[in-house]
Amino acid sequence: MVAIRAALFGLFTSATVLCAGAAMAADPAGMATTSEDFIKGLSLGPAPAPAPESTPLRTRGLSLGTGDVAPPPTPVSAPAAPPAPPPVTAQRPSVNFQVEFELNSATLSPKARGVLDQLGRALTAPELAGFRFELAGHTDVTGSAEHNLALSKRRAASVRDYLTTTFRIPSKTLTTAGYGSRRLLDPVNRTSGVNRRVEITNLGS
């Protein structure tokens, strides 16, 4: 009976792992779709706490017998701190999201406006106030490299224009760039839809 229960438990565990793996594979790009996704992905982490300061050590004098004067305390230097490691350059927070455009153009679709409304709410939230952002357009490999590069720039500008017009976001806080098909999110499937995206990066204050 114990062996039967163990076998059933093993089958149940295996099925659970397979289902979880399938769910992860269904969304490999992890595209942002809600304002909470954008806020979480673009927020900067808390600043590291300062290192505690070292305190010099001192010894006490000790007098033996009568009339003896204790010598003055002798300062003892604290052990030398190990050399600090080289500074690590923090990666700027960035979020990928899909924006649907009309075929071969930079005209936003109604579905695209819905995603950008979520982004606009995030950019006007207190958590992201005071930061600058880059909007970068990306394409797949369909079409020539020159055409894709120009199209990605126009689409990034279209996203910026929608955000500045609809949410009154200052244009100086949003810069644009286009990379065409040079930075594929899924380089194995070069024509996959996940490569046709916009990426927003927090540039800091």
Side-chain angles (χ1 to χ4, degrees):
M1 189 67 179
V2 174
I4 294 175
R5 288 180 179 176
L8 291 175
F9 178 77
L11 290 174
F12 175 78
T13 303
S14 300
T16 302
V17 171
L18 287 174
C19 290
M24 291 177 64
D27 186 20
M31 298 288 183
T33 58
T34 68
S35 58
E36 289 79 10
D37 292 339
F38 287 111
I39 292 174
K40 181 179 180 181
L42 295 172
S43 296
L44 298 177
E53 296 182 0
S54 59
T55 304
L57 302 178
R58 294 180 179 274
T59 58
R60 294 179 178 274
L62 177 64
S63 59
L64 300 175
T66 59
D68 294 332
V69 179
T74 304
V76 178
S77 301
V88 178
T89 302
Q91 185 176 6
R92 291 171 174 170
S94 64
V95 173
N96 287 292
F97 59 101
Q98 287 190 310
V99 182
E100 289 187 1
F101 296 90
E102 292 185 8
L103 181 62
N104 202 29
S105 79
T107 302
L108 296 168
S109 69
K111 184 177 180 179
R113 295 187 185 94
V115 175
L116 294 181
D117 287 342
Q118 295 294 320
L119 175 58
R121 294 187 185 100
L123 294 180
T124 53
E127 294 90 337
L128 299 180
F131 293 112
R132 297 178 299 108
F133 301 89
E134 179 192 70
L135 294 164
H138 301 271
T139 70
D140 61 15
V141 297
T142 305
S144 67
E146 294 79 8
H147 174 78
N148 289 336
L149 182 61
L151 182 60
S152 65
K153 291 179 179 180
R154 289 193 288 118
R155 287 180 170 178
S158 181
V159 170
R160 177 202 57 201
D161 294 344
Y162 181 86
L163 293 171
T164 56
T165 301
T166 306
F167 291 91
R168 308 291 182 184
I169 298 174
S171 58
K172 65 181 180 180
T173 66
L174 297 176
T175 61
T176 61
Y179 297 100
S181 58
R182 292 183 294 183
R183 299 185 180 182
L184 297 176
L185 193 61
D186 186 358
V188 176
N189 302 302
R190 295 161 61 82
T191 59
S192 171
V194 299
N195 294 315
R196 301 187 294 271
R197 70 197 192 280
V198 177
E199 182 182 14
I200 181 169
T201 302
N202 189 335
L203 302 178
S205 56

